[in-house]
Amino acid sequence: MATHNSSQPADSRVNDFPQNFFDKYRKSGATRDGGKMQECFRTFDTDRDGYLNTLEFDGLLSQLFSKRGKPYLLTDSQRTELFNLVDSNKILDPVTALIIVDVQNDFISGSLAIQEGELIVSPINNILDTYKFDLVVYTLDWHPHDHISFVENVKKREIDPASKVKAEHAKVQDEVIFRIPGYEEGRIQTVWPRHCVQNTEGAKLHKDLKLLNNALYINKGTDPDIDSYSAFWDNGKLRQTQLEAELRKRKVTDVYVCGLAIDICVRFTSLDSIAHGFRTILIDSACKGVDQQSVEPSREQIRKSGGLCIDICEMGDIYSLVDRRPEIGLHAARTALGGKKCDEIERRVITQ
Ligand code: VGL
Ligand code: ZN
């Protein structure tokens, strides 16, 4: 194995590849068709297991960094650096977080009780017992008593003239547009029964939910004038919680999401997780929805945005990396390219 660096190609170095695969890319004006990646992979994945092991990766490096068939020697640290570049999103060594969204009394047995909500408590406990996450996060909907989302409070704020629903007629799940002093735009808000008021019984996590030591707790919806379905951002993307910073601090790569409700807070938390570049996996059977009709569209939106929806029975293979899904691998690769927007990258791939 090479232990020193040299600006000259080595005279002799083990080279299992009689022809240099990269030669055609050295010639000026070589056509770079879309098949080059598959061809490259097929060439170097000599044991055909779908992965490039260390030996195969060395084979690739020694052909790539060469002159007239003679490889340049790379130091171990250079090889490691190049490998880490490829693996910059920790594809081979993920750091995992589980976000348990709003498993609070009011969403299970209280004012905003979700159908079969209590049925997710034991699957979540099973997940906590079975898998060791690098970080477990419990989120709490944590509203002040005068919160904008409470139907009981609609008369406490000015209604925007554009609001179809007027204060006198507002009922649960209506969309009301408020005027908030200091903001030009009206604030669109679906109104809910009073729920998860700070320090009340309804805001407590379900008594049977297993609480891990060293977990992180994230309160959301604490500003009276704006709601927060996502555990990352408020609905107007005006202010962030500390969730992203805490995940970054621990170098989390893979975010698993479960809890209540799949069509509201789980959905927006998952979408923001995807947008922040985390490989995001929604554990379907550990979630329930407020509105049954919007459950499937929520899943679809998460999939389309680059997330994965899995059943609990798929969790073992995915967590242990026996099952690697290209959808989220692709998302990770895109993030490795500097977090560029998907269409930008597709354009680069097509036109290069
Ligand atoms: C939620 C409605 C209002 C949720 C929170 O946690 O899904 N839904 N506030
Ligand atoms: Zn709420």
Side-chain angles (χ1 to χ4, degrees):
M1 186 170 292
T3 52
H4 71 280
N5 189 16
S6 169
S7 57
Q8 293 296 313
D11 283 328
S12 61
R13 186 179 156 129
V14 183
N15 190 344
D16 297 332
F17 305 94
Q19 265 194 316
N20 191 311
F21 172 81
F22 295 101
D23 279 352
K24 58 175 155 297
Y25 296 108
R26 296 182 206 280
K27 292 173 195 125
S28 58
T31 52
R32 300 191 163 199
D33 59 81
K36 73 175 175 182
M37 200 268 294
Q38 285 136 292
E39 199 189 339
C40 174
F41 199 81
R42 243 182 280 123
T43 305
F44 294 102
D45 179 25
T46 48
D47 64 4
R48 300 275 180 274
D49 70 343
Y51 296 93
L52 291 186
N53 60 33
T54 325
L55 216 76
E56 291 162 347
F57 190 67
D58 278 348
L60 185 152
L61 290 181
S62 66
Q63 287 204 28
L64 181 61
F65 298 111
S66 66
K67 183 178 178 183
R68 301 188 195 285
K70 295 201 175 130
Y72 288 98
L73 294 181
L74 297 171
T75 63
D76 282 350
S77 80
Q78 285 173 321
R79 288 162 63 241
T80 306
E81 202 179 325
L82 282 161
F83 181 79
N84 287 344
L85 198 67
V86 174
D87 190 35
S88 60
N89 238 303
K90 289 191 137 281
I91 291 164
L92 300 180
D93 187 18
V95 179
T96 59
L98 174 69
I99 305 181
I100 302 169
V101 178
D102 300 359
V103 184
Q104 293 164 275
N105 292 331
D106 272 342
F107 295 125
I108 293 175
S109 53
S111 55
L112 227 166
I114 291 162
Q115 210 183 335
E116 299 187 326
E118 76 280 3
L119 296 187
I120 68 161
V121 176
S122 114
I124 294 174
N125 289 343
N126 281 337
I127 292 167
L128 289 170
D129 285 336
T130 314
Y131 306 104
K132 200 190 160 327
F133 296 91
D134 297 289
L135 176 67
V136 172
V137 184
Y138 298 88
T139 76
L140 291 114
D141 213 28
W142 195 248
H143 299 311
H145 63 89
D146 57 347
H147 195 250
I148 189 168
S149 75
F150 299 165
V151 70
E152 296 86 348
N153 292 339
V154 281
K155 293 191 176 142
K156 291 191 175 147
R157 288 172 183 81
E158 191 187 335
I159 304 279
D160 192 288
S163 183
K164 289 206 186 83
V165 177
K166 306 298 169 202
E168 311 77 75
H169 303 116
K171 54 183 192 329
V172 167
Q173 293 212 36
D174 276 348
E175 201 170 86
V176 179
I177 310 177
F178 293 101
R179 293 215 56 81
I180 304 297
Y183 290 90
E184 274 297 301
E185 290 201 347
R187 191 158 290 174
I188 303 168
Q189 176 68 51
T190 300
V191 289
W192 304 98
R194 188 187 297 277
H195 64 280
C196 296
V197 176
Q198 295 171 7
N199 302 308
T200 61
E201 200 52 35
K204 282 192 182 148
L205 292 172
H206 189 274
K207 64 173 179 19
D208 298 333
L209 181 67
K210 190 177 161 139
L211 303 181
L212 291 200
N213 293 332
N214 304 320
L216 176 69
Y217 292 84
I218 296 283
N219 294 338
K220 61 188 184 59
T222 55
D223 180 337
D225 288 331
I226 194 157
D227 208 354
S228 189
Y229 292 156
S230 160
F232 288 92
W233 288 93
D234 62 51
N235 291 1
K237 288 251 157 61
L238 301 177
R239 262 192 293 258
Q240 263 206 83
T241 66
Q242 67 277 34
L243 180 53
E244 190 200 354
E246 293 288 343
L247 296 177
R248 299 262 182 243
K249 197 164 86 189
R250 294 166 176 85
K251 302 199 183 326
V252 167
T253 57
D254 292 21
V255 170
Y256 292 80
V257 192
C258 62
L260 301 170
I262 190 169
D263 48 337
I264 304 173
C265 290
V266 171
R267 171 175 152 213
F268 287 100
T269 300
S270 303
L271 291 172
D272 278 347
S273 170
I274 295 166
H276 282 307
F278 301 110
R279 282 192 290 264
T280 304
I281 300 141
L282 180 131
I283 314 167
D284 223 353
S285 28
C287 300
K288 293 283 175 193
V290 168
D291 173 6
Q292 297 321 302
Q293 303 231 302
S294 49
V295 170
E296 190 44 42
S298 302
R299 289 187 193 122
E300 195 50 34
Q301 189 185 17
I302 290 163
R303 283 189 211 108
K304 277 211 176 109
S305 311
L308 192 63
C309 298
I310 63 162
D311 194 83
I312 273 184
C313 64
E314 299 172 280
M315 179 79 192
D317 279 355
I318 287 182
Y319 178 87
S320 62
L321 307 176
V322 168
D323 181 2
R324 284 170 176 277
R325 300 290 177 91
E327 310 84 296
I328 49 172
L330 193 61
H331 179 65
R334 284 168 173 161
T335 320
L337 289 173
K340 298 221 168 46
K341 286 203 189 82
C342 298
D343 63 332
E344 242 175 89
I345 290 160
E346 262 141 33
R347 244 183 291 128
R348 276 176 45 181
V349 171
I350 290 161
T351 56
Q352 75 182 345

